[in-house]
Amino acid sequence: MATTVENSVGSEAKVLQSYVSGKWQAGSDPGAALVNPTTGDTVAWASSKGLDLKAALEYSRNVGGPDLRKLTYAQRAELLGEIADTLAARRDEWFEIARRNSGNTKADAAIDVDGSIGTLKYFAKIGAKLGDAHLLREGSPMRLARDQNFQGLHVGVPLDGVAVHINAYNFPAWGLWEKAAVSLLAGVPVMSKPATATAWLAQEMVSAVIEAGLLPPGALSILCGSPNDLLDYLRLGDVVAFTGSADTGETVRQHARVRQQNIRVNIEADSLNAALLGPDVSPDSPAFAFFAREVVREMSSKTGQKCTAIRRVLVPADQAESATEAIIAALQKIVVGDPGNALVNMGPLVNLSQRGTVEEGIRELNTQAEFAYWPENFTPVDADAKKGAFVPPALLKTRSATGADIVNRVEVFGPVATLIPYHDKENAFELARQGGGSLAASVFSSDTAFLAEAGIALGTSHGRLLLVDPAIGDSHTGHGIVLPSCLHGGPGRAGGGEELGGLHGLWFYHERVAMQGSVATLAAINEKAADPTA
Ligand code: NAP
């Protein structure tokens, strides 16, 4: 089925349609322009104006849900594997769209596209272990009274609503599939709402899966363009999984319908993630090199547009100078420009508006922190600096551990980090916590006792902690990489959400119920249930 129509607004750009209520539908106006951030050219338009979103949600609930839930976990896991294979076969196309609409280098696109395919494959594999079951089981039947025949068992029943997935612009592929994989495995149909700025890739991937006819009708829908009144029609059994800025997350959480109906919401928001160089580490130690490499990789990968990227760099005060020098030496090797040029290792931000926001954010940081690195005569390779959304990487530095509260407030969503010197380990832990709740922090030291202490001290304010001693310096997966087997999310400012974490992620899409009954009744329920921890 064609997913694009002749553009009605006079350029070569595509008009992205939404796949809702089992058919492709275009909005009634051109909507928002999606651009190539390297050139500023419009590549697509997206509008959801006039779409009947009440009917769309009902279709997902009433048509997609029941058919999905007739299948067992193992059958749905098999479908995830087929989706992964279908997407993998067109990997080059996805990379091209990621270059044209997100300004991704090949390495950036791999994080998004390969990350999404890898996540689907992972859930296909671990979902198969749940076998022919239709329910989840938690623990074993337990005796509840003197009569041994009266027992209790906690089970998870898949929700009978629709999962609304609202995603951020920086991961159009991974954001779509990391949520959809878990939801579909649970048996809950998906209404995916990609961020408009980069919806093209998400829309084409969904189109590939719909065309392949892999899923029951109504199991997978996509809404391109503004969310409009989508949330007004939520009801019992529906969930919202949101990824984006803290402000929009708050708007979603405060939505009248969400509050009135107590709709289950998972928020993955922004985060001021830290990297911490241990007090024991000197410039000639391997941990120092691993630390500097990771900071620079996080600043430049996806042009710093990763929710998990390192924003605050905590170093012992007596190492501040050598750490600054090491980071600058690596930053000087970053080539910014057209991601189509193989020599370029950092592309543009997503659009000129985001460039303006990042430049403004850098100026804000600069009110309390000085520039350590900010190239003045910056020219992007093979690109027009005025039309493209390019910024060079910026490293700022506070004079002391105090008096720079702005670095704990402002998330600059670009290739920007601020170095903060600390006095002692307690001061370092306190500074890391001042992010107000973060997705990830990484700690670099040769002292495993210190790493363990840091991990525990930072545990209540972080969702994930990467504790790097030289033994894993080259083999760890990286500060910013979200693995499907590990929890993703963080407390406080980071949204308080939890995604992934292997089969643990399935619980968001199930109602946990305490079943009380006779041994025979519970055995009949238990027969249909699988233990996700087994
Ligand atoms: P955003 O502006 O908050 O938008 C996120 C999504 O919310 C988009 O799909 C947007 O749609 C939608 N939206 C906007 N207003 C809405 C409303 N009133 N009701 C429902 N949905 C609404 O964020 P972004 O600029 O795309 O992404 C960057 C931010 O996301 C950064 O702050 C980053 O830290 C964060 N992020 C967090 C994670 C994580 O896992 N924690 C991952 C990636 C990014 P439109 O695009 O159509 O406006």
Side-chain angles (χ1 to χ4, degrees):
M1 180 185 293
T3 59
T4 55
V5 293
E6 198 62 34
N7 190 356
S8 57
V9 287
S11 75
E12 290 292 306
K14 286 168 175 290
V15 173
L16 302 184
Q17 296 188 35
S18 295
Y19 189 72
V20 290
S21 297
K23 50 183 188 286
W24 290 103
Q25 304 184 41
S28 58
D29 67 359
L34 285 68
V35 299
N36 179 337
T38 303
T39 60
D41 296 339
T42 297
V43 293
W45 295 84
S47 166
S48 55
K49 192 169 177 201
L51 300 186
D52 185 346
L53 301 182
K54 182 169 189 261
L57 290 177
E58 276 168 8
Y59 183 84
S60 300
R61 261 181 226 122
N62 301 334
V63 178
D67 280 350
L68 257 185
R69 285 187 296 279
K70 274 183 206 145
L71 306 175
T72 64
Y73 291 106
Q75 286 169 325
R76 293 192 294 261
E78 204 176 322
L79 292 180
L80 296 184
E82 289 168 16
I83 293 173
D85 291 343
T86 302
L87 295 176
R90 292 175 58 180
R91 184 173 173 269
D92 290 349
E93 284 175 57
W94 315 140
F95 273 51
E96 179 58 10
I97 296 173
R99 182 186 69 77
R100 289 187 59 202
N101 187 201
S102 293
N104 279 185
T105 62
K106 282 203 166 132
D108 292 340
I111 299 175
D112 192 23
V113 172
D114 293 344
S116 69
I117 295 167
T119 300
L120 281 159
K121 284 188 175 162
Y122 173 82
F123 280 101
K125 191 166 162 206
I126 63 168
K129 292 186 189 148
L130 297 175
D132 291 341
H134 288 271
L135 305 169
L136 298 181
R137 172 176 63 235
E138 192 176 60
S140 310
M142 52 194 163
R143 186 175 145 187
L144 299 177
R146 187 172 294 184
D147 177 0
Q148 289 200 24
N149 192 27
F150 179 52
Q151 299 212 343
L153 176 68
H154 286 109
V155 295
V157 182
L159 298 176
D160 58 3
V162 53
V164 172
H165 294 164
I166 302 174
N167 285 313
Y169 79 80
N170 56 334
F171 282 106
W174 178 81
L176 160 65
W177 296 113
E178 61 97 16
K179 287 184 174 66
V182 185
S183 189
L184 293 172
L185 180 60
V188 180
V190 171
M191 168 66 68
S192 192
K193 188 351 230 151
T196 302
T198 57
W200 183 14
L201 177 55
Q203 194 257 13
E204 293 281 357
M205 287 179 132
V206 167
S207 170
V209 172
I210 299 294
E211 276 173 28
L214 302 174
L215 291 168
L220 179 62
S221 305
I222 184 165
L223 176 64
C224 296
S226 147
N228 290 339
D229 52 355
L230 180 68
L231 302 185
D232 291 349
Y233 308 113
L234 296 172
R235 68 139 174 85
L236 176 67
D238 296 340
V239 294
V240 178
F242 168 85
T243 299
S245 63
D247 286 349
T248 314
E250 182 63 11
T251 306
V252 169
R253 214 194 284 278
Q254 294 303 330
H255 188 278
R257 184 81 179 170
V258 169
R259 280 192 291 112
Q260 285 156 9
Q261 302 279 316
N262 282 324
I263 300 295
R264 191 179 292 174
V265 176
N266 192 76
I267 303 276
E268 300 291 345
D270 60 34
S271 178
L272 294 163
N273 314 293
L276 196 169
L277 183 67
D280 61 300
V281 184
S282 59
D284 53 358
S285 119
F288 191 91
F290 292 131
F291 162 80
R293 185 183 68 186
E294 199 60 20
V295 169
V296 174
R297 182 157 62 188
E298 284 297 308
M299 287 176 72
S300 56
S301 163
K302 293 202 105 244
T303 319
Q305 299 165 109
K306 287 209 317 280
C307 52
T308 48
I310 295 168
R311 307 289 175 202
R312 300 175 305 143
V313 184
L314 309 175
V315 296
D318 60 358
Q319 299 296 353
E321 209 166 307
S322 32
T324 308
E325 279 168 18
I327 294 168
I328 291 176
L331 288 176
Q332 283 167 337
K333 294 189 186 135
I334 291 176
V335 181
V336 183
D338 181 345
N341 181 324
L343 295 176
V344 165
N345 45 21
M346 193 173 98
L349 295 162
V350 71
N351 53 35
L352 289 178
S353 155
Q354 186 61 18
R355 185 179 82 182
T357 307
V358 166
E359 287 170 344
E360 175 60 29
I362 292 172
R363 278 194 291 276
E364 253 184 290
L365 291 179
N366 187 221
T367 59
Q368 293 185 14
E370 63 198 36
F371 284 116
Y373 182 74
W374 177 241
E376 276 179 15
N377 298 317
F378 158 72
T379 316
V381 173
D382 287 351
D384 182 333
K386 288 205 180 79
K387 292 184 180 162
F390 297 96
V391 285
L395 180 70
L396 293 100
K397 192 172 173 180
T398 64
R399 268 167 227 95
S400 70
T402 53
D405 63 298
I406 199 154
V407 300
N408 300 318
R409 281 193 282 112
V410 177
E411 182 205 44
V412 183
F413 205 58
V416 184
T418 304
L419 194 133
I420 307 165
Y422 70 80
H423 314 304
D424 54 29
K425 62 183 180 185
E426 278 74 25
N427 180 218
F429 299 158
E430 180 49 29
L431 287 165
R433 288 189 206 105
Q434 283 175 6
S438 303
L439 294 169
S442 50
V443 188
F444 296 79
S445 170
S446 302
D447 178 353
T448 51
F450 170 74
L451 288 172
E453 185 185 355
I456 295 163
L458 301 180
T460 55
S461 51
H462 290 79
R464 179 166 61 81
L465 288 154
L466 172 66
L467 308 167
V468 184
D469 69 79
I472 56 161
D474 274 323
S475 57
H476 70 78
T477 48
H479 167 103
I481 297 295
V482 176
L483 299 172
S485 49
C486 287
L487 283 177
H488 174 57
R493 178 187 180 131
E498 266 189 9
E499 282 184 335
L500 301 171
L503 295 175
H504 175 88
L506 286 175
W507 284 105
F508 182 68
Y509 300 98
H510 287 73
E511 186 62 34
R512 194 186 255 105
V513 188
M515 298 284 186
Q516 300 177 332
S518 69
V519 168
T521 304
L522 293 191
I525 292 173
N526 209 353
E527 241 177 51
K528 300 180 193 303
D531 179 355
T533 59

